[in-house]
Amino acid sequence: MLQKRKKFNKVTVLLPIILLVITATYISIKLKSEKNLYEDNTRVIDTISQVLDLNTVKYNYSNIVTVKKDKSINDFKIPFTEKSFIIKYNGTINGGIKPEDIKVIKNTGTKIYIDVKQCRILDHYIDDKNMYVYDVKNSIFNKVQVQEVLKDLNKYKQDYEKKIVNEGFMDEVKSNTKSSLENLLKNMGYKEVVVSFK
């Protein structure tokens, strides 16, 4: 009876030790695999591309443009060819980065250095349903055509992009991109994230 109790005591003592060893081994393997995941730069970039919204700034605007033109030959204006019209439209400009703009400079598994090649305007949409052309003044020999209006609109889109860039649009894109990357990478387990821009 006394011998049975001794066996029981040995099992009682050994069981927690065995469980502790198994648990420690499992945690060690898990941490090692996670560390390898964090140190794999390709996986980091893939995760950023899949999870992060690379459109970091959305800019909505309204614009009114007055267009005046005529036909000319060698800077000589041809009479009765003057025409004009006004375009009123709404647009949306998305600024951010593309996956190829991101490069991992250094990655220790706990600390990561990210270099962003450039921030850019990713797309620029015009709301066709709310575009208005009015105060159209045609000439006898030079009438306003729909294709002409659309072509002029593309030119004014580019002008508007230059305008907001000069007003600091890219600074806002950089700031939002930096915050988004830092938050995402810290949620992935990095203790320190350093984001720099070229």
Side-chain angles (χ1 to χ4, degrees):
M1 189 78 177
L2 188 64
Q3 198 169 358
K4 280 184 182 179
R5 189 176 290 175
K6 280 182 181 177
K7 279 185 181 179
F8 178 73
N9 287 340
K10 281 181 182 178
V11 171
T12 307
V13 171
L14 285 174
L15 190 62
I17 293 170
I18 292 167
L19 287 172
L20 190 66
V21 169
I22 292 169
T23 305
T25 305
Y26 172 76
I27 290 170
S28 175
I29 292 167
K30 191 169 186 296
L31 286 173
K32 190 176 179 182
S33 66
E34 284 181 0
K35 189 178 179 187
N36 289 338
L37 172 66
Y38 292 147
E39 288 180 354
D40 186 339
N41 293 342
T42 304
R43 288 188 183 181
V44 170
I45 298 296
D46 286 345
T47 303
I48 290 171
S49 302
Q50 290 168 17
V51 176
L52 186 68
D53 183 3
L54 300 178
N55 288 322
T56 57
V57 177
K58 186 176 182 179
Y59 181 89
N60 296 309
Y61 71 95
S62 295
N63 197 22
I64 298 174
V65 177
T66 301
V67 181
K68 291 182 180 179
K69 55 176 68 175
D70 52 48
K71 287 187 177 181
S72 60
I73 299 173
N74 296 327
D75 295 331
F76 174 75
K77 291 181 182 179
I78 301 171
F80 308 109
T81 61
E82 297 87 1
K83 63 181 174 181
S84 65
F85 53 92
I86 297 172
I87 310 171
K88 182 181 178 183
Y89 65 95
N90 297 322
T92 300
I93 300 173
N94 289 318
I97 54 174
K98 290 188 175 181
E100 59 264 30
D101 296 328
I102 307 165
K103 186 178 180 183
V104 178
I105 303 300
K106 186 179 178 183
N107 184 1
T108 66
T110 57
K111 186 174 183 178
I112 188 166
Y113 293 82
I114 298 284
D115 187 51
V116 179
K117 183 180 173 183
Q118 65 174 325
C119 292
R120 60 176 95 191
I121 290 173
L122 296 173
D123 44 55
H124 187 169
Y125 297 110
I126 296 296
D127 183 2
D128 294 335
K129 293 178 182 177
N130 291 308
M131 184 178 72
Y132 303 97
V133 178
Y134 55 96
D135 200 22
V136 176
K137 293 177 183 174
N138 284 306
S139 69
I140 299 170
F141 304 107
N142 193 12
K143 292 192 174 183
V144 175
Q145 303 292 329
V146 174
Q147 289 301 320
E148 182 183 13
V149 173
L150 295 174
K151 186 178 177 183
D152 284 325
L153 196 55
N154 280 327
K155 175 188 177 298
Y156 290 110
K157 277 171 62 177
Q158 292 171 10
D159 290 345
Y160 206 89
E161 288 174 10
K162 289 175 186 174
K163 175 182 177 289
I164 65 166
V165 167
N166 290 335
E167 290 173 354
F169 180 71
M170 285 305 170
D171 293 332
E172 188 179 351
V173 174
K174 280 183 181 179
S175 176
N176 285 11
T177 299
K178 186 173 185 291
S179 298
S180 298
L181 286 170
E182 286 173 347
N183 291 335
L184 174 62
L185 291 164
K186 283 179 180 176
N187 285 333
M188 285 172 65
Y190 289 98
K191 302 297 181 189
E192 191 175 347
V193 179
V194 179
V195 180
S196 58
F197 295 86
K198 282 191 174 179

